[in-house]
Amino acid sequence: MSEESAKISRATLSDVCRHTGLSTATVSRVINQTGNVKAATVKKVMDAIAQLGYVPNHAARALAGQRNKMIGVVFPEISTGFWAEILKGLDAEADDHQYHILTAFSHGGQDERELALRLLGEGRIDALVVMNLRLGKDFMQQAGRFNIPVILIDRPIAGLETASVTLDNVTGACQAMTHLYEHGYEQVVILAGDLETYDARQRLMGCKKAAKAAKVAWDDRLVVASSFTEEGGSRAIDTWFKQSVKPPRAIFCFNDNIAIGAMNALEKRGFAVPDDVAVIGFDDIDSARHLKLTTVHVPVLEMGRAAANAAIQVISNQAFNKQQVLPTQLVLRRSCGCLVEAEQKVCAG
Amino acid sequence: MSEESAKISRATLSDVCRHTGLSTATVSRVINQTGNVKAATVKKVMDAIAQLGYVPNHAARALAGQRNKMIGVVFPEISTGFWAEILKGLDAEADDHQYHILTAFSHGGQDERELALRLLGEGRIDALVVMNLRLGKDFMQQAGRFNIPVILIDRPIAGLETASVTLDNVTGACQAMTHLYEHGYEQVVILAGDLETYDARQRLMGCKKAAKAAKVAWDDRLVVASSFTEEGGSRAIDTWFKQSVKPPRAIFCFNDNIAIGAMNALEKRGFAVPDDVAVIGFDDIDSARHLKLTTVHVPVLEMGRAAANAAIQVISNQAFNKQQVLPTQLVLRRSCGCLVEAEQKVCAG
DNA sequence: TTGTAAGCGTTATCAT
DNA sequence: ATGATAACGCTTACAA
């Protein structure tokens, strides 16, 4: 209950001053390496700091200096492994620059717009990274009010010149389709996930591009929408078999979860991957490797790093690539029929 | 380069005062709901706040009020999916109490002791959650200096009465082994991961307990150490085959990665799971489900929630369960030979 | 090269 | 029920 807390109060700047006989200004200069301090003085201060175990108080710094050394990150509730890796990248990059990451997930039923806006208002972050799925132009405008840079991961917002880190969805999809065409499969069924999403639309463009290049006639009936889940994948396959007894010869799924669901459904019906059906996914989640699924690799960690880096650059007024597009890579495994063994090969994009 | 930033400075407390003609004290009272304010005044203030779009400045609050509404989390560099889920739990619980999570991963080559200590010193967190793998008693003592509660995830520290959220490793391992014994396999090989770790040692205790209960003679030679990785698992299998042409009839791995590596190695040698070898893992990562691996489920999200909850309780001086131990569950899938199909069953622990 | 002192935006203790 | 005002620990002109 009531613990006698022996308040060993932390050392403060003035403690260091007292200890060294110097002024706050000088000590502050040493700490922030603002130059114009005698080497001997620096040493004296450093020694005192070490001796007292002094660590600058963050709140005071933020209040006085208007900088938090903190980047906020708002994520929607999405597949675990994916954002975990992004976050890792964000944190790694932030850490390299002595920044911290403040997470804010929109857990079920919460509005991520409100979440983001509150975070911006509290003034505890210097920049905001948003994994933007539902947020639009109006949000960006509201956010602009706070004068805090916002970096978008995943897709830019049409008609707005916002900083963003995105994926080359078009080329990624094109690589996958081209690969299947090169296998000789002319009829490729596309399990396209949610066609309302930016990703799906971009990837579809990539597919069409590939078809054109391969001189394959485009057939809209081969595009099957679903949710971006395993269940979506298996349902899509079920739907297919309502109008055909034979499975498609090749399938390209707009994410790995769909692919996994589809493969399960196919196997349940006695069809083998890749012998009866070739399958390619998108994302390259952990399970893709385990299931030997050929897929389009997404450099998730790098997206995180790039986003944090962009944030830090804006904060410090440095020039940077405002609209960054990261490349994908086709990773060849067993499911497309290329490799019989577990080995994998990377097709540079 | 130089953007003309039209500094729309945020509204402050004094702006609200000016707008209402009230003092900072009164406005503060309204904001913090400290009572003793006329209803009419409250309304006046609320209106002004809404009108000005006022959001309390965090740094100032922290500085003046000594509370950050923030929980720091230090993680070592470990398998992605695992901590992602923990973090999700942490954030969910924190969010429920209007707290935020500040992440700090020890990226390669960084000392998490130092990381944690710095975080504690900066005074920007009200509590620290540590996924503690290498940290010991001395760390806890140093941390104690800062007078900030520390919650340990994953293992308690011997000889110290620290708040911790841990797993019932003993029962978990016991469940798995018992299940294999019930299958009739008397010789169960144990791929035990890194025996220096707390987890491995606890799980080994569980195994011995199961053996005793099943009246199976314990044989230390069946315990094979390795790293907690896929490679560790496949190497362990390779080692086995140096002294035997036949595979073990049953294997219990101390995590899923080891199990996956082991299964791969077995299949490469032409042995089938579960027909030739029964395999059980530990953790229940995503891939375990996909690979139909029977495994001991770890309630990762709940661990995160419990940790954040413990943190918040300590902060607010509420009584709580200091040493929390979460239960595991054996999840039956195909790899142990129980279920031929993809179905899974949960064995309550 | 170093020191002085005025904030930064709150909270909280006194008065009133 | 409300108002002054002193912290909180630091940064940063401006002086010296």
Side-chain angles (χ1 to χ4, degrees), chain B residues 54-70:
Chain B
Y54 166 77
V55 181
N57 176 288
H58 167 71
R61 279 189 134 167
L63 187 56
Q66 343 253 35
R67 94 197 119 79
N68 291 281
K69 286 282 181 181
M70 185 115 87

Side-chain angles (χ1 to χ4, degrees), chain B residues 30-293:
Chain B
V30 173
I31 290 165
N32 298 297
Q33 312 190 49
T34 331
N36 288 341
V37 192
K38 249 200 309 196
T41 311
V42 172
K43 186 173 168 8
K44 212 194 317 185
V45 173
M46 293 308 245
D47 287 350
I49 287 178
Q51 209 175 118
L52 297 168
Y54 166 77
V55 181
N57 176 288
H58 167 71
R61 279 189 134 167
L63 187 56
Q66 343 253 35
R67 94 197 119 79
N68 291 281
K69 286 282 181 181
M70 185 115 87
I71 298 172
V73 182
V74 171
F75 277 127
E77 181 86 11
I78 49 162
S79 83
T80 299
F82 195 73
W83 59 249
E85 201 67 15
I86 292 203
L87 191 56
K88 207 159 134 187
L90 280 162
D91 192 87
E93 185 70 23
D95 196 71
D96 286 351
H97 299 263
Q98 327 263 51
Y99 270 75
H100 280 299
I101 295 292
L102 167 53
T103 63
F105 302 96
S106 65
H107 301 284
Q110 222 186 112
D111 191 17
E112 61 221 31
R113 153 192 264 89
E114 202 186 319
L115 200 60
L117 255 21
R118 179 153 50 84
L119 216 49
L120 286 168
E122 285 175 341
R124 64 168 116 198
I125 55 175
D126 300 325
L128 181 67
V129 172
V130 182
M131 174 110 192
N132 139 62
L133 296 172
R134 293 189 272 274
L135 271 27
K137 204 165 174 174
D138 51 337
F139 166 78
M140 289 306 292
Q141 273 151 1
Q142 279 191 66
R145 211 177 98 51
F146 293 102
N147 216 337
I148 289 178
V150 175
I151 284 88
L152 265 23
I153 294 193
D154 225 39
R155 83 177 153 121
I157 290 184
L160 237 48
E161 248 230 17
T162 47
S164 61
V165 173
T166 57
L167 199 63
D168 190 349
N169 281 298
V170 176
T171 306
C174 187
Q175 289 167 333
M177 289 297 281
T178 301
H179 184 73
L180 289 173
Y181 289 143
E182 282 168 355
H183 262 289
Y185 310 130
E186 295 228 336
Q187 273 219 353
V188 179
V189 166
I190 297 169
L191 302 194
D194 182 355
L195 282 167
E196 305 270 299
T197 62
Y198 174 81
D199 282 353
R201 283 199 293 253
Q202 292 286 303
R203 288 171 197 177
L204 203 55
M205 282 178 54
C207 293
K208 287 181 181 166
K209 192 174 152 195
K212 200 166 185 179
K215 289 176 183 153
V216 171
W218 182 260
D219 184 351
D220 265 329
R221 286 165 307 178
L222 296 179
V223 179
V224 183
S226 72
S227 73
F228 274 117
T229 59
E230 285 181 41
E231 213 203 324
S234 71
R235 271 206 204 149
I237 294 299
D238 290 345
T239 308
W240 171 271
F241 280 109
K242 279 186 186 144
Q243 40 172 117
S244 164
V245 284
K246 281 170 73 178
R249 191 62 196 84
I251 302 181
F252 173 37
C253 307
F254 280 9
N255 82 4
D256 289 342
N257 288 325
I258 297 179
I260 291 171
M263 291 197 295
N264 276 146
L266 286 166
E267 272 159 24
K268 227 169 238 164
R269 287 168 187 269
F271 297 107
V273 173
D275 296 339
D276 298 317
V277 190
V279 177
I280 295 188
F282 206 116
D283 280 353
D284 199 12
I285 63 176
D286 278 0
S287 291
R289 182 166 51 81
H290 292 137
L291 296 172
K292 291 157 192 165
L293 174 65

Side-chain angles (χ1 to χ4, degrees), chain A residues 24-345:
Chain A
T24 60
T26 303
V27 174
S28 181
R29 278 182 200 110
V30 173
I31 290 164
N32 297 298
Q33 313 190 45
T34 331
N36 287 342
V37 192
K38 246 199 311 194
T41 312
V42 172
K43 184 171 171 10
K44 210 189 327 182
V45 173
M46 294 307 243
D47 287 349
I49 287 177
Q51 208 175 120
L52 297 168
Y54 167 76
V55 181
N57 176 287
H58 168 71
R61 279 188 133 170
L63 188 55
Q66 341 253 35
R67 94 198 117 79
N68 290 281
K69 287 281 181 181
M70 186 116 89
I71 299 172
V73 182
V74 171
F75 277 127
E77 182 88 9
I78 51 165
S79 84
T80 299
F82 196 73
W83 59 248
E85 201 66 17
I86 292 202
L87 191 56
K88 206 158 134 187
L90 280 163
D91 192 88
E93 185 71 21
D95 196 71
D96 287 351
H97 299 263
Q98 329 263 52
Y99 271 75
H100 281 298
I101 295 293
L102 168 53
T103 63
F105 303 96
S106 65
H107 302 283
Q110 223 187 107
D111 191 15
E112 61 222 32
R113 154 194 263 86
E114 203 186 318
L115 199 58
L117 254 22
R118 179 153 49 85
L119 216 48
L120 286 168
E122 285 175 340
R124 66 168 114 197
I125 56 175
D126 300 325
L128 182 67
V129 172
V130 183
M131 175 110 194
N132 139 62
L133 296 170
R134 295 188 271 274
L135 270 26
K137 205 166 171 171
D138 49 338
F139 165 77
M140 289 306 293
Q141 273 150 1
Q142 280 192 67
R145 211 177 96 52
F146 292 102
N147 216 335
I148 289 179
V150 176
I151 285 87
L152 265 24
I153 294 194
D154 225 36
R155 84 178 151 117
I157 292 184
L160 237 46
E161 249 230 18
T162 48
S164 61
V165 173
T166 56
L167 199 62
D168 190 350
N169 281 298
V170 177
T171 305
C174 187
Q175 289 167 331
M177 289 297 279
T178 302
H179 184 73
L180 290 172
Y181 288 144
E182 282 169 355
H183 263 288
Y185 312 128
E186 294 227 337
Q187 274 218 352
V188 179
V189 167
I190 296 169
L191 303 195
D194 182 355
L195 282 166
E196 306 269 298
T197 61
Y198 174 81
D199 283 351
R201 284 201 292 254
Q202 292 286 302
R203 289 170 197 178
L204 204 55
M205 284 179 51
C207 292
K208 286 181 181 165
K209 193 175 150 194
K212 201 166 185 181
K215 289 174 184 155
V216 171
W218 182 259
D219 184 350
D220 266 329
R221 286 166 308 177
L222 297 179
V223 178
V224 183
S226 70
S227 74
F228 273 119
T229 59
E230 285 181 41
E231 211 202 325
S234 70
R235 270 206 206 149
I237 293 298
D238 290 345
T239 309
W240 170 271
F241 280 109
K242 279 184 187 145
Q243 41 171 118
S244 164
V245 284
K246 280 171 71 179
R249 190 62 196 84
I251 303 180
F252 173 37
C253 307
F254 279 9
N255 81 7
D256 289 341
N257 288 326
I258 297 180
I260 291 170
M263 291 196 295
N264 276 147
L266 285 167
E267 271 158 25
K268 227 170 235 163
R269 287 167 188 270
F271 297 107
V273 174
D275 296 339
D276 298 317
V277 190
V279 176
I280 294 188
F282 207 116
D283 280 353
D284 198 14
I285 63 176
D286 278 0
S287 292
R289 183 166 51 82
H290 292 138
L291 297 172
K292 289 157 192 164
L293 173 65
T294 291
T295 188
V296 179
H297 175 80
V298 174
V300 196
L301 191 110
E302 288 71 19
M303 289 179 76
R305 277 205 105 103
N309 190 260
I312 292 164
Q313 302 293 37
V314 200
I315 292 168
S316 45
N317 275 309
Q318 309 245 258
F320 74 105
N321 189 350
K322 248 198 149 173
Q323 231 96 286
Q324 214 166 330
V325 180
L326 292 151
T328 58
Q329 278 191 324
L330 184 62
V331 179
L332 266 26
R333 299 204 182 94
R334 224 192 49 186
S335 73
C336 67
C338 265
L339 277 30
V340 179
E341 251 327 292
E343 320 299 334
Q344 72 174 55
K345 224 164 67 185

